Amino acid sequence: MTVGADTGKVVEAVWRMESARIVGALTRMLRDLGRAEELAQDALLEALERWPADGVPDRPGAWLMQVAKRRALDHLRHHAMHASKEGELSWEMDNVLGDSDSFRDPAELAALTQEAAAEIDDDVLRLIFVCCHPVLSAEARAALALKLLGGLATGEIARAFLVPEATVAQRIVRAKRTLAEARVPFEVPHDEELKPRLASVLQVIYLIYNEGYSASAGNEWLRPTLCREAVRLGRVLAELMPDEGEVHGLVALMEIQSSRERARTGPDGAPILLMDQDRSRWDRLLIGRGLAALDRAGRLGALGPYALQAAIAACHARAVAKDDTDWARIAALYDALAQLMPSPVVELNRAVALGMAYGPAAGLALADALLDVPALRNYHLLPSVRGDLLAKLGRHTEAKAEFERAAGLTQNERERALLLERARSSTQLEGRQAAG
């Protein structure tokens, strides 16, 4: 049956919101992630077939959950699961997801609804940790998370990451096979296992966000779909783990960074760098949400790496004009971040902050010290940063060479155009300097 455009959009929206809960619930029932996703997809197809003719149910999410659980129960019956397990699942389906009018006692209904909601939240949290298990590669974790937690179709994920759809499909299939072969349990890790596993979850969410915020390849500067999915996943995780400061730190960082979305590109899609952006176009609501999340992270203890990066972003967000930016504080925060999470990329960002706070010569000295670091050898932002610092020192010939080198290293067409334009500007300034 052909799906009407409006009904199709409703189905898609409901699926995006409910797919993680449905797949999580079925995984708990079946202990088989692959089969759970298949049966959840079957429920989605049934909605696509029935809703155009029958109308959208009053509780579409509950409708999808009920159909999916019925299919799971049929699957268990088919494989002759123990009768007590079948009875337990039948009770869950009939009483928790059944017609609420069958309950005479409102208190009983409220208690059952609350119990079911708590169980669903637990299922989603378990699913997050399974999708982001470190036994999988970072690319596989990101693809699986977007598929099962974000409800994105394989084609959407492929377009977002600019890879063939077959590649994404293969990553997802292999990821599910790896999880099954590794016998990864459907549970939230306990005690000493929690911190490293949570770090993996946060890493995946931030990987998704970063690929959307600064696309590594292609002809678009940013991919809002990925950013929004990452922010949504972060918000869900923050609700499920309210006492984890770094979860709120990551949410704060993504909210504040996302506030600049409208100002980051011109009418033609060309990039606009931070210091050139029209700050009146920054989303003050997102900034407020980000600052509130950062405050919550601070109240939960010492700031971790994500919260420190959020604090740096907050310095920019609080500056009404670019000249109001507290670069000395930003440099100090990068010092703290370098102590907590030493990395060449952090040092490069620290070079930028030092250059803004204490003059371009200070920044260039640190950037020059990174030239022999293997991890940055083909990293386009190192020559880009050096070009900017050299230009501020009036060394335009050297700046031009650095911008051209950076343009040759980036895979993003928009960024390449920006860097080549900066190289041309350096040439013009070089000519004026020689003439003068």
Side-chain angles (χ1 to χ4, degrees), residues 146-167:
L146 288 171
K147 185 76 160 62
L148 300 185
L149 298 168
L152 271 66
T154 305
E156 292 178 288
I157 300 169
R159 287 191 295 274
F161 281 108
L162 296 183
V163 295
E165 186 171 344
T167 300

Side-chain angles (χ1 to χ4, degrees), residues 7-202:
T7 307
K9 289 179 181 178
V10 171
V11 174
E12 181 183 352
V14 173
W15 179 251
R16 286 274 170 89
M17 292 186 291
E18 301 294 337
S19 59
R21 294 177 176 180
I22 295 169
V23 174
L26 298 192
T27 304
R28 171 173 48 82
M29 292 167 62
L30 303 172
R31 301 294 164 177
D32 184 334
L33 178 62
R35 179 65 64 185
E37 190 200 1
E38 289 176 12
L39 295 179
Q41 290 284 346
D42 288 345
L44 173 63
L45 291 175
E46 188 167 336
L48 290 169
E49 291 173 356
R50 292 180 54 181
W51 290 7
D54 300 345
V56 178
D58 292 336
R59 298 168 61 214
W63 188 98
L64 281 171
M65 182 75 83
Q66 185 175 33
V67 170
K69 285 196 171 185
R70 280 184 180 143
R71 289 179 178 272
L73 185 56
D74 289 342
H75 174 79
L76 293 174
R77 282 177 177 146
H78 179 71
H79 288 274
M81 296 294 287
H82 194 277
S84 63
K85 180 65 175 176
E86 182 179 315
E88 176 189 332
L89 295 173
S90 297
W91 182 93
E92 177 183 22
M93 184 174 67
D94 293 339
N95 289 306
V96 176
L97 292 173
D99 185 357
S100 61
D101 292 338
S102 63
F103 292 101
R104 294 179 181 274
D105 183 359
E108 181 184 3
L109 174 59
L112 285 169
T113 302
Q114 186 174 4
E115 180 181 341
E119 191 169 66
I120 286 171
D121 284 348
D122 287 345
D123 289 339
V124 174
L125 186 57
R126 293 186 191 107
L127 187 61
I128 289 174
F129 276 93
V130 169
C131 288
C132 301
H133 197 284
V135 73
L136 304 175
S137 69
E139 294 82 4
R141 279 180 271 160
L144 194 61
L146 288 171
K147 185 76 160 62
L148 300 185
L149 298 168
L152 271 66
T154 305
E156 292 178 288
I157 300 169
R159 287 191 295 274
F161 281 108
L162 296 183
V163 295
E165 186 171 344
T167 300
V168 172
Q170 194 173 53
R171 284 177 185 170
I172 292 171
V173 169
R174 286 178 178 171
K176 288 186 285 191
R177 184 187 304 132
T178 299
L179 291 171
E181 291 173 351
R183 299 181 183 275
V184 172
F186 186 65
E187 64 183 19
V188 176
H190 302 288
D191 302 328
E192 70 279 357
E193 294 182 356
L194 181 59
K195 289 294 183 184
R197 287 282 301 280
L198 178 59
S200 175
V201 172
L202 297 176

Side-chain angles (χ1 to χ4, degrees), residues 3 22 40 98 110 151 189 198 218 237-238 348-349 359 364 377 420:
V3 181
I22 295 169
L198 178 59
L237 189 61
L348 183 59
N349 286 321
L364 185 62
R377 190 161 293 150
L420 290 175

